[in-house]
C-alpha cells in the first residue's frame, strides 16, 4: 500500500513538470505558439505548480528512505 502511494505521489510530482511541455505541444499544433514562448508564459503564470510538484517528489523520496 505504501509503495503504491509513493508511486502516485512521485508521478503526480513529475506530471507537474511534464504538463507544460504537453500543453505546449498542443498549443503549437492548434495555435501559433512557439514551445519556448509557451513555457515562459506558463512558468510566469503557473509557477506554484512547480513548487507543488517538487514537494510531492520530495515527499515520495522521503517515504522511500524511511522504509
Amino acid at each position: 500500500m505504501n509503495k503504491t502511494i509513493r508511486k502516485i505521489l512521485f508521478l503526480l510530482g513529475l506530471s507537474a513538470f511534464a504538463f507544460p511541455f504537453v500543453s505546449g505541444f498542443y498549443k503549437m499544433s492548434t495555435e501559433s505558439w512557439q514551445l519556448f514562448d509557451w513555457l515562459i508564459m506558463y512558468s510566469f503564470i503557473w509557477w506554484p505548480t512547480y513548487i507543488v510538484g517538487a514537494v510531492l517528489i520530495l515527499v515520495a523520496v522521503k517515504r522511500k528512505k524511511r522504509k
Side-chain angles (χ1 to χ4, degrees):
M1 182 72 170
N2 282 336
K3 189 175 183 180
T4 306
I5 293 171
R6 189 176 70 237
K7 284 183 180 180
I8 290 171
L9 289 175
F10 188 75
L11 289 175
L12 282 174
L14 281 181
S15 69
F17 291 101
F19 179 74
F21 288 99
V22 173
S23 63
F25 288 126
Y26 174 74
K27 289 289 185 181
M28 284 173 50
S29 68
T30 59
E31 300 175 11
S32 62
W33 282 93
Q34 296 294 321
L35 181 62
F36 185 72
D37 295 337
W38 173 254
L39 291 175
I40 295 296
M41 196 220 35
Y42 182 91
S43 297
F44 184 74
I45 294 174
W46 297 102
W47 61 268
T49 59
Y50 297 133
I51 295 172
V52 170
V55 167
L56 287 173
I57 290 172
L58 287 174
V59 168
V61 169
K62 286 284 190 181
R63 289 179 68 97
K64 183 176 183 171
K65 287 190 177 192
R66 190 171 56 179
K67 285 289 176 179

